[in-house]
């Protein structure tokens, strides 16, 4: 359907809901029929500035439980926005089926078109097709689960008091980055079934509680090596998911506290794919909105003025400040993702000899959209950069590698723009986006059931980097509170085969 003025969809900044519908359909004509995108159905919600700030504070979710930290985050963002230090995103999109796209009522018609192309087609296609999202998220059940979580925690507040619920949430939030299963298990998490199985889980938790302490040896018989191995096997040790272990085996937690740990853990797991695909996800959405807006302009559906307005916003999004620019805060994922998607299109349709040498399977294939859909579906940031960061993009971004050893007086430029340097830079940047490499690797390795029930954790030290003393002690304190007995964290360097540091904590006021 065309706009009132000839073929144009709109002629000014004003919009209404009928126009949003026409713009959505026009974006779909390009996104689905020409680019081959396969998004979820879209549910479009119009929100105010204050609602956008509220969504910022609660990790972008429309339904979320209450916690003081969300109010603090809201006050911070609101103050920065009011004083002009921070702008607001034009949209927020929820990985759900249907995909929920929140658009700001202050946006112009051009910006609403950009947002629908970016979120409703780009992000939605990525959510639906990337293997990590298929593996770890439940788009059909997330909204029902969030509603269940909010209701459950509200009931706990009424029954046990807001202060008691906040204590559990404070501890769970402190450990949420260590409440992740990094490797897929046999069964996909089904969030819809979680609500129905709540009572069953509570009974099962009680059984695990009994099973744990049944393993304590009777009498004074010295435990054998087989007894130790069997005990660790029953406890599922070593265990990298701290929240999962505490939820299942903490001796003193009440069932409702275990359920809150589970809620925080499952919601954090839901966001895990987004942490691994930031560059690809934003690259897919930015590339999609750029192609859709360009095609709408070529087809005469948006005016030159609207296209210039779009380009002004687009160039701001993909700006990569230099390292000495006061705006520099690292590599812009929008800029890198968009540049690599455009580069894949170029290599597929107009390759150089260098491209044929570096990417022989992709160079000259002629199907740029097909190649991009395959990349978006089957890679994450680490493997995406490892496979598709070309020498041209390395040169365009002026990337080089600096080696900065702690015991050296000077830094060394370890990789420049030559064949060996390209491979070195690509390998180093790929590792930078490896979540498993960036996050400290901490596991629960043992529990002393024969004496004081002390819980033993181990941090596997990489490149000699230890945990920050103050932060480690604060987080360990939350582990001790949830476990109910003393805990010890050993920082162990396998290359030197020795412990570099130890931290200990005792419960302040144990949960029960």
């Amino acid at each position: 359907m065309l706009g009132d003025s000839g073929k144009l969809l709109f002629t000014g900044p004003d919009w209404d809901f009928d126009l949003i519908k026409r713009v959505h359909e026009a974006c779909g004509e390009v996104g689905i029929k020409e680019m081959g995108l396969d998004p979820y159905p879209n549910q479009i919600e119009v929100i105010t500035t204050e609602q956008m700030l509220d969504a910022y504070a609660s990790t972008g979710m429309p339904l979320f439980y209450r916690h003081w930290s969300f109010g603090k985050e809201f006050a911070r963002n609101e103050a920065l926005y009011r004083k002009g230090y921070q702008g607001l995103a034009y949209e927020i999109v929820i990985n759900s089926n249907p995909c929920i796209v929140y658009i700001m009522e202050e946006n112009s018609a051009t910006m609403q078109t950009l947002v629908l192309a970016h979120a409703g087609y780009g992000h939605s296609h990525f959510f639906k097709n990337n293997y990590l999202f298929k593996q770890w998220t439940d788009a059909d059940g997330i909204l029902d689960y969030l509603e269940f979580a909010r209701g459950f925690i509200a009931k706990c507040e009424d029954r046990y008091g807001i202060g008691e619920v906040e204590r559990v949430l404070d501890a769970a939030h402190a450990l949420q980055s260590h409440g992740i299963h990094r490797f897929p298990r046999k069964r996909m998490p089904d969030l819809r079934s979680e609500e129905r199985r709540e009572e069953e889980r509570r009974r099962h938790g009680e059984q695990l509680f009994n099973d744990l302490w049944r393993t304590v040896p009777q009498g004074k018989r010295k435990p054998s090596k087989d007894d130790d191995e069997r005990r660790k096997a029953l406890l599922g040790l070593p265990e990298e998911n701290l929240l999962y272990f505490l939820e299942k085996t903490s001796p003193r937690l009440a069932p409702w506290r275990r359920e809150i740990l589970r809620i925080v853990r499952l919601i954090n797991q839901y966001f895990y794919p987004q942490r691994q695909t930031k560059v690809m996800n934003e690259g897919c959405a930015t590339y999609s909105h750029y192609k859709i807006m360009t095609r709408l302009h070529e087809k005469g559906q948006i005016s030159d003025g609207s296209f210039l307005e779009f380009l002004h916003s687009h160039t701001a999004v993909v700006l990569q400040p230099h390292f000495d620019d006061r705006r520099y805060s690292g590599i812009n994922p929008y800029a890198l993702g968009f540049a690599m998607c455009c580069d894949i299109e170029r290599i597929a349709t107009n390759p150089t000899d260098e491209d044929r040498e570096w990417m022989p399977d992709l160079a000259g294939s002629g199907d740029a959209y097909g190649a991009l859909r395959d990349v978006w579906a089957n890679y994450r940031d680490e493997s995406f950069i490892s496979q598709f960061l070309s020498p041209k993009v390395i040169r365009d971004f002026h990337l080089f590698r600096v080696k900065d050893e702690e015991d050296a007086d000077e830094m060394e430029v370890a990789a420049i723009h030559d064949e060996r340097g390209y491979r070195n830079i690509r390998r180093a940047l790929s590792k930078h986006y490896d979540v498993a490499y960036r996050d400290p690797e901490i596991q629960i390795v043992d529990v002393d059931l024969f004496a004081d029930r002390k819980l033993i954790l181990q941090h596997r030290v990489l490149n000699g980097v230890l945990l920050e003393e103050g932060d480690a002690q604060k987080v360990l304190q939350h582990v001790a509170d949830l476990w109910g007995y003393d805990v010890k964290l050993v920082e162990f360097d396998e290359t030197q085969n020795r412990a570099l540091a130890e931290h200990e904590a005792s419960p302040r006021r144990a949960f029960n």
Side-chain angles (χ1 to χ4, degrees), residues 187 193-202:
R187 293 182 56 189
S193 66
E194 296 299 336
E195 183 178 357
R196 296 192 297 270
R197 294 167 51 201
E198 178 192 353
E199 290 301 324
E200 180 183 342
R201 284 201 302 273
R202 290 184 180 183

Side-chain angles (χ1 to χ4, degrees), residues 12 30 34 91 211 227 280 305 441 505:
V30 180
E34 296 186 21
E91 47 80 24
D211 198 45
D227 290 335
M280 288 184 64
E441 183 180 340

Side-chain angles (χ1 to χ4, degrees), residues 437-462:
Y437 185 81
R438 291 204 313 263
D439 292 348
E441 183 180 340
I442 298 176
Q443 294 182 337
I444 296 173
V445 294
D446 203 356
V447 52
D448 187 358
L449 295 177
F450 305 106
D452 55 4
R453 299 175 178 176
K454 180 181 286 187
L455 193 65
I456 312 296
L457 290 76
Q458 185 181 87
H459 169 221
R460 184 185 175 196
V461 175
L462 284 177

Side-chain angles (χ1 to χ4, degrees), residues 134-147:
K134 289 182 177 179
Q135 197 170 60
W136 287 114
T137 65
D138 179 10
D140 293 327
I142 183 62
L143 294 180
D144 287 342
Y145 188 73
L146 289 174
E147 188 172 5

Side-chain angles (χ1 to χ4, degrees), residues 79-190:
L80 291 174
Y81 174 69
R82 184 162 37 83
K83 293 181 179 179
Y85 296 134
Q86 173 180 299
L88 291 181
Y90 296 111
E91 47 80 24
I92 281 183
V93 58
I94 307 299
N95 170 26
S96 59
N97 184 16
C99 183
I100 302 179
V101 180
Y102 291 91
I103 58 177
M104 294 259 288
E105 65 178 7
E106 292 87 349
N107 291 350
S108 67
T110 299
M111 292 309 300
Q112 302 295 33
T113 310
L114 166 60
V115 166
L116 293 175
H118 181 92
Y121 289 94
H123 278 311
S124 183
H125 171 85
F126 194 84
F127 290 149
K128 185 177 179 182
N129 294 280
N130 181 263
Y131 80 100
L132 284 175
F133 286 84
K134 289 182 177 179
Q135 197 170 60
W136 287 114
T137 65
D138 179 10
D140 293 327
I142 183 62
L143 294 180
D144 287 342
Y145 188 73
L146 289 174
E147 188 172 5
F148 155 73
R150 184 171 67 170
F152 180 85
I153 290 178
K155 289 178 184 174
C156 291
E157 289 174 340
D158 291 340
R159 185 168 181 180
Y160 305 106
I162 293 176
E164 286 299 305
V165 173
E166 279 192 351
R167 281 189 66 216
V168 185
L169 285 174
D170 287 348
H173 286 181
L175 296 169
Q176 62 185 354
S177 61
H178 297 285
I180 296 292
H181 288 303
R182 290 188 294 179
F183 303 100
R185 298 191 163 194
K186 292 181 180 179
R187 293 182 56 189
M188 291 278 291
D190 180 357

